[in-house]
Amino acid sequence: MVTTLMKALACCKVAVIGDLMLDIYIHGDVNRISPEAPVPIVRWKSQRAAPGGAANVAANIAAIGATSILVGIAGDDDAFQELSALLQSIGSVDLGGVVLTRNRATTKKLRIVGHAQQMLRIDREDVGPLEETVEKELIVNALAAIDRCDIAVLSDYGKGALTDRVIAKCVARARASGKKVIVDPKRQDLSVYRGATIITPNRAELTAATGLPCETDEEVEAAAMKARKATDSDFLLTRSEKGMSYISGAADAIHLQTTAKAVFDVSGAGDTVVAFLAPCLAVGLPIIHAMKIANHAAGIVVGKFGTTVLEPDELVVALTAPDLEDVQDGRILSLDEAARLRLAWASNGYSVGVTNGCFDLLHPGHISLLAQASAACDRLILALNSDASVRRLKGPTRPVQNEASRAKVAGSIKGVDAVVLFDQDSPLELINTLHPDVLVKGADYLEHEIVGADIVRARGGRVERAAIVEGQSTTRLLARS
């Protein structure tokens, strides 16, 4: 059923009209305060870029195989070139509707992150009124995109692309052609979106628009019904840790609890909701089923750091996670199986750790390392060097025990939830695939020597150095024999 659904979603075309952004994250370590001023010094470790705003919506739609036609405004600058390259690398994003202008810069948000904590954000943006010629071109492109698509999304971040005229023209064209239009709003005056099929504010936005609290289910329903009078639209309210609610004039309200067990970062969660809601409604799913899928998608992204594009496999695993619950402790998995299991665990709110090594002749040092690694996370994957890998690293007389024996013994130890064999000399590919929340290695390695540490930290994870049991090693054991 899920496979059929994903195939159907991949056939959709979605017009995404709104404010394009480029999100930049600079990750680093913070170990001291500057002597020049009372500010922390961030030692640069890594940098990544991601589509933001309407571009993030388009990217998530494209990531599941659907086609998104993106319409908005961007500067004729390096930021747009970088954003364009990112989008093209993700999937089918048609950028022909983007209006380039030399009078405005592409909106760019630069975030400085130290130890997975956002410390500073610098915004580069132009939010002044659009030139008349730019607005006219934007409207022409938006209407053409709606004509070509199954459904439309208006992603309003208040950066200037969605003027009153643009919104009115888009809503009118969608309604005239019998197509749904979903609005992710920014305005306090929601009446500007009048006629939209569904408006998707968060709690703070609906409270600002109506002056009413939005904490309990009853309060949400009252606020949404007030907003409906001004918009003639249904409302899907995203409520962070309280899930989401749908209020229409035609049926009872629907309230869904969040699927996220841990909320790490809510950046882009609203984008993810509309990105999955739109194609689901376009293929004819009832609102309750579309909400459940969007809820699962949002539950995954809030467990990650920063603006993130959801991978199709992540959604499939989230929707089929119960199928993986029968995995037994110590099961030997392929890397693909381990990746699916890691996603299933994440969808259930579990932190996932990885440690790696040869684990040839098991000794107290190994037991101590695995115990410390297991204590650092909810679920532990042991990455075990294959026989060929061990021979390259340790010499022709190693390993003493073959990989099947080593995996069976290590997998039976309490706290080891799965074992994965890898044939490379380095576990870098495996770590890049599994994206662990915690990477554990012995304290005999300095942190900068630990393979994959930069990948884990860049995702907001952490690196743990386990205490060493002195005098314990396979090499020493063999020397005594």
Side-chain angles (χ1 to χ4, degrees), residues 259 261 300 313-325 327 337-350 352 379:
T259 62
K261 302 297 188 297
I300 295 169
D313 287 349
E314 293 180 292
L315 182 61
V316 171
V317 168
L319 296 175
T320 60
D323 296 339
L324 297 173
E325 288 301 309
V327 172
E337 289 173 324
R340 292 186 67 236
L341 184 57
R342 184 260 183 275
L343 293 173
W345 283 335
S347 72
N348 284 313
Y350 299 129
V352 179
R379 297 290 184 270

Short mmCIF file of all heavy atoms in Angstrom, two decimals, residues 259 261 300 313-325 327 337-350 352 379:
data_model
loop_
_atom_site.label_atom_id
_atom_site.label_comp_id
_atom_site.label_asym_id
_atom_site.label_seq_id
_atom_site.Cartn_x
_atom_site.Cartn_y
_atom_site.Cartn_z
N THR A 259 3.85 12.66 16.01
CA THR A 259 4.55 11.37 15.99
C THR A 259 5.98 11.51 16.48
O THR A 259 6.67 10.52 16.66
CB THR A 259 4.57 10.79 14.55
OG1 THR A 259 5.28 11.69 13.70
CG2 THR A 259 3.16 10.58 14.04
N LYS A 261 8.95 11.82 18.94
CA LYS A 261 9.22 11.52 20.35
C LYS A 261 10.22 12.51 20.93
O LYS A 261 10.30 12.70 22.13
CB LYS A 261 9.79 10.10 20.48
CG LYS A 261 8.86 9.03 19.92
CD LYS A 261 7.55 8.96 20.66
CE LYS A 261 6.72 7.75 20.22
NZ LYS A 261 6.32 7.76 18.83
N ILE A 300 9.56 13.54 11.65
CA ILE A 300 10.95 13.16 11.35
C ILE A 300 11.86 14.38 11.30
O ILE A 300 12.94 14.40 11.90
CB ILE A 300 11.01 12.39 10.01
CG1 ILE A 300 10.26 11.07 10.12
CG2 ILE A 300 12.47 12.13 9.61
CD1 ILE A 300 10.05 10.38 8.79
N ASP A 313 12.78 7.27 1.65
CA ASP A 313 12.91 6.08 2.49
C ASP A 313 12.56 6.38 3.94
O ASP A 313 12.05 5.51 4.65
CB ASP A 313 14.34 5.53 2.42
CG ASP A 313 14.63 4.84 1.09
OD1 ASP A 313 13.67 4.61 0.34
OD2 ASP A 313 15.80 4.54 0.82
N GLU A 314 12.84 7.60 4.38
CA GLU A 314 12.52 7.96 5.76
C GLU A 314 11.01 7.93 5.98
O GLU A 314 10.53 7.45 7.01
CB GLU A 314 13.07 9.35 6.08
CG GLU A 314 14.57 9.45 6.11
CD GLU A 314 15.06 10.84 6.43
OE1 GLU A 314 14.87 11.74 5.60
OE2 GLU A 314 15.61 11.04 7.53
N LEU A 315 10.26 8.43 5.01
CA LEU A 315 8.80 8.43 5.14
C LEU A 315 8.26 7.01 5.05
O LEU A 315 7.38 6.63 5.83
CB LEU A 315 8.17 9.31 4.06
CG LEU A 315 6.65 9.42 4.13
CD1 LEU A 315 6.21 10.05 5.45
CD2 LEU A 315 6.11 10.23 2.96
N VAL A 316 8.78 6.24 4.11
CA VAL A 316 8.32 4.85 3.97
C VAL A 316 8.55 4.09 5.26
O VAL A 316 7.67 3.36 5.74
CB VAL A 316 9.04 4.15 2.79
CG1 VAL A 316 8.74 2.66 2.79
CG2 VAL A 316 8.61 4.76 1.47
N VAL A 317 9.73 4.25 5.84
CA VAL A 317 10.05 3.55 7.09
C VAL A 317 9.14 4.03 8.22
O VAL A 317 8.65 3.24 9.02
CB VAL A 317 11.53 3.75 7.46
CG1 VAL A 317 11.79 3.27 8.88
CG2 VAL A 317 12.42 2.98 6.50
N ALA A 318 8.89 5.33 8.29
CA ALA A 318 8.01 5.86 9.33
C ALA A 318 6.61 5.29 9.22
O ALA A 318 5.96 4.98 10.23
CB ALA A 318 7.96 7.38 9.25
N LEU A 319 6.14 5.12 7.98
CA LEU A 319 4.79 4.61 7.76
C LEU A 319 4.70 3.10 7.95
O LEU A 319 3.62 2.56 8.18
CB LEU A 319 4.31 4.96 6.35
CG LEU A 319 4.15 6.46 6.07
CD1 LEU A 319 3.80 6.69 4.61
CD2 LEU A 319 3.10 7.09 6.97
N THR A 320 5.83 2.41 7.85
CA THR A 320 5.84 0.95 7.98
C THR A 320 6.69 0.51 9.16
O THR A 320 7.07 -0.66 9.25
CB THR A 320 6.39 0.30 6.70
OG1 THR A 320 7.73 0.77 6.47
CG2 THR A 320 5.53 0.64 5.50
N ALA A 321 6.99 1.42 10.08
CA ALA A 321 7.89 1.11 11.20
C ALA A 321 7.50 -0.13 11.99
O ALA A 321 8.37 -0.88 12.41
CB ALA A 321 8.00 2.32 12.13
N PRO A 322 6.21 -0.40 12.23
CA PRO A 322 5.86 -1.60 12.99
C PRO A 322 6.40 -2.89 12.37
O PRO A 322 6.63 -3.87 13.06
CB PRO A 322 4.32 -1.59 12.97
CG PRO A 322 3.97 -0.15 12.83
CD PRO A 322 5.03 0.41 11.92
N ASP A 323 6.65 -2.89 11.05
CA ASP A 323 7.18 -4.09 10.40
C ASP A 323 8.59 -4.42 10.87
O ASP A 323 9.06 -5.53 10.70
CB ASP A 323 7.22 -3.91 8.88
CG ASP A 323 5.82 -3.74 8.30
OD1 ASP A 323 4.87 -4.16 8.96
OD2 ASP A 323 5.71 -3.18 7.19
N LEU A 324 9.29 -3.44 11.44
CA LEU A 324 10.67 -3.65 11.86
C LEU A 324 10.80 -3.86 13.36
O LEU A 324 11.89 -4.00 13.88
CB LEU A 324 11.52 -2.45 11.44
CG LEU A 324 11.62 -2.22 9.93
CD1 LEU A 324 12.35 -0.93 9.65
CD2 LEU A 324 12.32 -3.38 9.26
N GLU A 325 9.69 -3.90 14.06
CA GLU A 325 9.76 -3.99 15.51
C GLU A 325 10.18 -5.37 16.00
O GLU A 325 10.49 -5.56 17.16
CB GLU A 325 8.38 -3.64 16.12
CG GLU A 325 8.06 -2.16 16.01
CD GLU A 325 9.09 -1.28 16.70
OE1 GLU A 325 9.39 -1.54 17.88
OE2 GLU A 325 9.60 -0.37 16.06
N VAL A 327 12.80 -6.98 15.15
CA VAL A 327 14.26 -7.17 15.06
C VAL A 327 14.79 -7.59 16.43
O VAL A 327 14.51 -6.97 17.44
CB VAL A 327 14.95 -5.88 14.60
CG1 VAL A 327 16.46 -6.03 14.70
CG2 VAL A 327 14.54 -5.58 13.17
N GLU A 337 19.68 -2.67 5.42
CA GLU A 337 18.75 -3.04 6.50
C GLU A 337 19.00 -2.18 7.74
O GLU A 337 18.06 -1.74 8.40
CB GLU A 337 18.92 -4.52 6.85
CG GLU A 337 18.40 -5.48 5.80
CD GLU A 337 18.74 -6.92 6.13
OE1 GLU A 337 19.83 -7.18 6.68
OE2 GLU A 337 17.91 -7.81 5.83
N ALA A 338 20.27 -1.95 8.04
CA ALA A 338 20.60 -1.14 9.21
C ALA A 338 20.10 0.30 9.04
O ALA A 338 19.63 0.92 10.00
CB ALA A 338 22.10 -1.15 9.45
N ALA A 339 20.21 0.82 7.81
CA ALA A 339 19.74 2.19 7.55
C ALA A 339 18.23 2.28 7.75
O ALA A 339 17.73 3.25 8.33
CB ALA A 339 20.13 2.61 6.14
N ARG A 340 17.48 1.29 7.28
CA ARG A 340 16.03 1.27 7.47
C ARG A 340 15.68 1.15 8.95
O ARG A 340 14.76 1.81 9.44
CB ARG A 340 15.40 0.13 6.68
CG ARG A 340 15.46 0.29 5.17
CD ARG A 340 14.69 -0.81 4.45
NE ARG A 340 13.27 -0.68 4.73
CZ ARG A 340 12.52 -1.64 5.25
NH1 ARG A 340 13.05 -2.79 5.59
NH2 ARG A 340 11.23 -1.46 5.45
N LEU A 341 16.41 0.30 9.65
CA LEU A 341 16.15 0.13 11.07
C LEU A 341 16.48 1.40 11.84
O LEU A 341 15.74 1.80 12.75
CB LEU A 341 16.98 -1.04 11.61
CG LEU A 341 16.75 -1.41 13.09
CD1 LEU A 341 15.28 -1.72 13.34
CD2 LEU A 341 17.62 -2.60 13.46
N ARG A 342 17.56 2.06 11.45
CA ARG A 342 17.94 3.31 12.11
C ARG A 342 16.83 4.35 11.95
O ARG A 342 16.49 5.08 12.89
CB ARG A 342 19.25 3.83 11.49
CG ARG A 342 19.81 5.08 12.17
CD ARG A 342 19.48 6.33 11.40
NE ARG A 342 20.08 7.49 12.00
CZ ARG A 342 19.52 8.19 12.98
NH1 ARG A 342 18.35 7.81 13.49
NH2 ARG A 342 20.10 9.25 13.48
N LEU A 343 16.23 4.43 10.76
CA LEU A 343 15.14 5.36 10.53
C LEU A 343 13.90 4.98 11.33
O LEU A 343 13.18 5.85 11.83
CB LEU A 343 14.81 5.43 9.04
CG LEU A 343 15.89 6.05 8.14
CD1 LEU A 343 15.50 5.89 6.67
CD2 LEU A 343 16.07 7.52 8.49
N ALA A 344 13.63 3.69 11.42
CA ALA A 344 12.48 3.24 12.22
C ALA A 344 12.67 3.61 13.68
O ALA A 344 11.74 4.08 14.34
CB ALA A 344 12.29 1.74 12.07
N TRP A 345 13.87 3.39 14.19
CA TRP A 345 14.14 3.78 15.57
C TRP A 345 13.98 5.29 15.76
O TRP A 345 13.39 5.74 16.74
CB TRP A 345 15.56 3.35 15.95
CG TRP A 345 15.70 1.89 16.25
CD1 TRP A 345 14.73 1.03 16.67
CD2 TRP A 345 16.91 1.11 16.15
NE1 TRP A 345 15.25 -0.23 16.84
CE2 TRP A 345 16.58 -0.22 16.54
CE3 TRP A 345 18.20 1.40 15.78
CZ2 TRP A 345 17.53 -1.25 16.57
CZ3 TRP A 345 19.14 0.38 15.80
CH2 TRP A 345 18.81 -0.93 16.19
N ALA A 346 14.48 6.06 14.80
CA ALA A 346 14.37 7.51 14.90
C ALA A 346 12.91 7.95 14.90
O ALA A 346 12.53 8.86 15.63
CB ALA A 346 15.13 8.18 13.75
N SER A 347 12.08 7.29 14.08
CA SER A 347 10.67 7.67 14.01
C SER A 347 9.95 7.38 15.32
O SER A 347 8.90 7.95 15.61
CB SER A 347 9.98 6.95 12.85
OG SER A 347 9.80 5.58 13.14
N ASN A 348 10.52 6.47 16.13
CA ASN A 348 9.96 6.17 17.43
C ASN A 348 10.63 6.97 18.55
O ASN A 348 10.39 6.72 19.73
CB ASN A 348 10.08 4.68 17.73
CG ASN A 348 9.05 3.86 16.96
OD1 ASN A 348 7.88 4.22 16.93
ND2 ASN A 348 9.48 2.79 16.33
N GLY A 349 11.48 7.93 18.15
CA GLY A 349 12.07 8.82 19.13
C GLY A 349 13.32 8.31 19.81
O GLY A 349 13.78 8.89 20.80
N TYR A 350 13.92 7.23 19.30
CA TYR A 350 15.12 6.68 19.92
C TYR A 350 16.38 7.33 19.35
O TYR A 350 16.48 7.54 18.15
CB TYR A 350 15.21 5.16 19.68
CG TYR A 350 14.07 4.36 20.24
CD1 TYR A 350 13.37 3.45 19.45
CD2 TYR A 350 13.68 4.51 21.58
CE1 TYR A 350 12.32 2.72 19.96
CE2 TYR A 350 12.63 3.78 22.09
CZ TYR A 350 11.95 2.88 21.28
OH TYR A 350 10.90 2.16 21.80
N VAL A 352 20.21 6.96 18.27
CA VAL A 352 20.93 5.82 17.71
C VAL A 352 22.43 6.10 17.76
O VAL A 352 22.90 7.15 17.30
CB VAL A 352 20.49 5.54 16.26
CG1 VAL A 352 21.28 4.38 15.68
CG2 VAL A 352 18.99 5.25 16.21
N ARG A 379 19.65 3.05 21.21
CA ARG A 379 19.88 1.87 20.38
C ARG A 379 21.30 1.94 19.82
O ARG A 379 21.72 2.96 19.29
CB ARG A 379 18.87 1.82 19.22
CG ARG A 379 17.41 1.66 19.66
CD ARG A 379 17.15 0.28 20.23
NE ARG A 379 15.75 0.08 20.55
CZ ARG A 379 15.20 0.35 21.75
NH1 ARG A 379 15.97 0.86 22.71
NH2 ARG A 379 13.92 0.12 21.96
#
